[in-house]
Amino acid sequence: EEKNPEAEACTLSARELDVLTYLGKGFDYRQISEQLHISPSTVRKHMENIYQKLQVHNKMEAVRKAQKFRFID
């Protein structure tokens, strides 16, 4: 069943939005982990949550959908 991505947006945590923002700037998981002072495995966990919430299957889809719904620039 298709959920409304806009409704799902409010369930994205501030940290998940941080991860998406860096992803949108072209950072890889290691660079994101350094920027946010978290481990690369934590970045991966955030990404799993983001994929689930945004109903996407890869980084590019996640970034595009986040931009489309104005969660990130």
Side-chain angles (χ1 to χ4, degrees):
E1 142 234 359
E2 183 70 16
K3 294 200 188 83
N4 178 347
E6 286 154 302
E8 291 294 304
C10 14
T11 70
L12 285 178
S13 70
R15 203 43 141 185
E16 288 164 353
L17 289 172
D18 290 342
V19 169
L20 270 172
T21 299
Y22 281 112
L23 204 59
K25 293 176 181 172
F27 285 62
D28 64 27
Y29 288 5
R30 184 186 51 77
Q31 293 167 317
I32 294 170
S33 73
E34 287 168 8
Q35 291 295 318
L36 299 178
H37 309 289
I38 57 179
S39 74
S41 63
T42 302
V43 175
R44 272 193 295 279
K45 188 66 199 156
H46 285 312
M47 286 308 299
E48 286 172 26
N49 295 337
I50 290 165
Y51 286 4
Q52 205 173 8
K53 291 176 182 182
L54 294 182
Q55 310 267 296
V56 296
H57 303 99
N58 62 53
K59 292 187 260 193
M60 284 313 301
E61 282 182 34
V63 169
R64 272 201 299 272
K65 198 170 242 191
Q67 289 168 336
K68 179 180 171 190
F69 292 109
R70 306 261 187 274
F71 308 151
I72 61 172
D73 295 324

